[in-house]
């Protein structure tokens, strides 16, 4: 009996983390910081802080990213851009992939706990659309959903928990599947940092890295169309 109670309490930790994260976000008015305008205003503060306190800056950035993903807040794109100009594209990609995967796993586990029913209601409209793909091959379908932005990120975090996808499959495909898009956004972030530093002069900031990032974003945006056409041709 005690063992079962301990296991039930242990399964509630994702719920507790999400509740604490929401409380902290509300208390510190987190939405104010998840905007490009706020990043522009605090550009020098952020870069100076990273220069003076690199490791604490990385840990704080990753903690905020975990919170945003776990609570499904609409700020991960802005954070990814910020990570690009704060740490550089490659380093930011490494930090973000770890943090985003951690946040996604927390939400995935929360969906299998006491928060299951309200989260299922939120994901309800998407369950029927995605169930067939997971039934055919959960590993390949999860990887496709991470590589190709066919559905919102929070949907792909929730739906697998209700369709019997294993935690191992979910975590591994998330970790590797989000790498390309994360790198593209972080690469754009490095260029946006130059734009902000140059007082908003976009022409002066059109570096090869920014151009590659923009081209990569364009290709990423076209992937869902190509995927749907390919799927229709095979139906």
């Amino acid at each position: 009996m005690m063992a079962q109670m301990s296991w039930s309490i242990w399964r509630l930790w994702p719920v507790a983390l999400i509740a604490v994260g929401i409380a902290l976000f509300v208390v510190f008015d987190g939405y104010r910081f998840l905007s490009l305008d706020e990043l522009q205003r605090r550009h020098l503060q952020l870069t100076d802080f990273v220069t003076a306190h690199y490791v604490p800056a990385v840990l704080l950035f990753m903690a905020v990213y975990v919170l945003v993903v776990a609570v499904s807040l609409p700020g991960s794109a802005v954070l990814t851009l910020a990570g690009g100009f704060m740490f550089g594209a490659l380093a930011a990609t490494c930090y973000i992939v770890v943090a985003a995967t951690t946040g996604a796993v927390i939400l995935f586990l929360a969906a299998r706990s006491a928060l299951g029913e309200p989260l299922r209601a939120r994901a309800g409209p998407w369950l029927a659309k995605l169930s067939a793909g997971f039934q055919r091959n959960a590993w390949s379908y999860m990887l496709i959903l991470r590589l190709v932005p066919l559905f919102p990120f929070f949907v792909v975090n929730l739906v697998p928990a209700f369709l019997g996808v294993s935690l191992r499959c979910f975590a591994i495909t998330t970790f590797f599947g989000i790498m390309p898009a994360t790198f593209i956004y972080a690469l754009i972030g490095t260029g946006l940092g130059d734009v902000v530093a140059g007082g908003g002069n976009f022409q002066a900031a059109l570096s090869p890295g920014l151009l590659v990032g923009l081209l990569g974003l364009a290709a990423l945006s076209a992937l869902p169309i190509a995927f749907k056409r390919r799927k229709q041709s095979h139906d």
Side-chain angles (χ1 to χ4, degrees), residues 142-174:
M142 267 299 304
L143 192 58
I144 288 172
L145 290 177
R146 290 308 193 192
L147 289 169
V148 184
L150 294 169
F151 300 97
F153 192 69
F154 82 91
V155 170
V156 187
N157 290 339
L158 286 176
V159 170
F162 303 123
L163 296 178
V165 176
S166 69
L167 176 60
R168 180 168 171 264
C169 171
F170 179 85
I172 292 175
T173 53
T174 297

Side-chain angles (χ1 to χ4, degrees), residues 4-235:
Q4 290 180 344
M5 185 178 298
S6 299
W7 173 243
S8 298
I9 294 174
W10 170 247
R11 289 185 64 188
L12 290 175
W13 74 264
V15 181
L17 275 177
I18 290 176
V20 171
I22 293 174
L24 290 173
F25 196 78
V26 172
V27 168
F28 291 101
D29 194 17
Y31 273 112
R32 184 163 55 90
F33 298 98
L34 297 179
S35 69
L36 288 174
D37 289 340
E38 190 66 22
L39 289 176
Q40 183 173 358
R41 282 193 293 270
R42 297 180 180 273
H43 175 260
L44 290 177
Q45 291 176 276
L46 290 171
T47 52
D48 289 345
F49 183 74
V50 171
T51 302
H53 310 284
Y54 188 84
V55 173
V58 170
L59 295 177
L60 181 60
F61 175 80
M62 292 180 69
V64 172
Y65 210 106
V66 169
L67 169 63
V68 168
V69 174
V71 185
S72 299
L73 297 171
S76 57
V78 174
L79 279 178
T80 305
L81 295 173
F85 76 69
M86 289 168 63
F87 308 111
L90 188 58
T93 299
C94 295
Y95 305 146
I96 291 168
V97 167
V98 172
T101 302
T102 302
V105 166
I106 291 172
L107 184 57
F108 177 87
L109 293 175
R112 290 185 167 183
S113 66
L115 277 180
E117 286 309 312
L119 290 176
R120 178 184 283 271
R122 186 178 182 188
W126 307 95
L127 288 172
K129 294 181 180 180
L130 297 175
S131 60
F134 282 112
Q135 289 174 2
R136 285 194 297 268
N137 190 318
W139 281 85
S140 62
Y141 196 55
M142 267 299 304
L143 192 58
I144 288 172
L145 290 177
R146 290 308 193 192
L147 289 169
V148 184
L150 294 169
F151 300 97
F153 192 69
F154 82 91
V155 170
V156 187
N157 290 339
L158 286 176
V159 170
F162 303 123
L163 296 178
V165 176
S166 69
L167 176 60
R168 180 168 171 264
C169 171
F170 179 85
I172 292 175
T173 53
T174 297
F175 184 86
F176 290 103
I178 64 176
M179 283 182 180
T182 300
F183 180 74
I184 289 171
Y185 273 92
L187 194 60
I188 294 173
T190 61
L192 290 180
D194 295 334
V195 171
V196 174
N201 187 350
F202 280 88
Q203 287 186 341
L206 287 178
S207 63
L210 179 58
L211 290 174
V212 170
L214 291 173
L215 289 173
L217 184 60
L220 193 68
S221 301
L223 280 178
I225 300 174
F227 180 83
K228 288 177 181 178
R229 286 182 177 176
R230 182 175 181 274
K231 185 178 179 182
Q232 290 173 353
S233 67
H234 284 76
D235 289 343

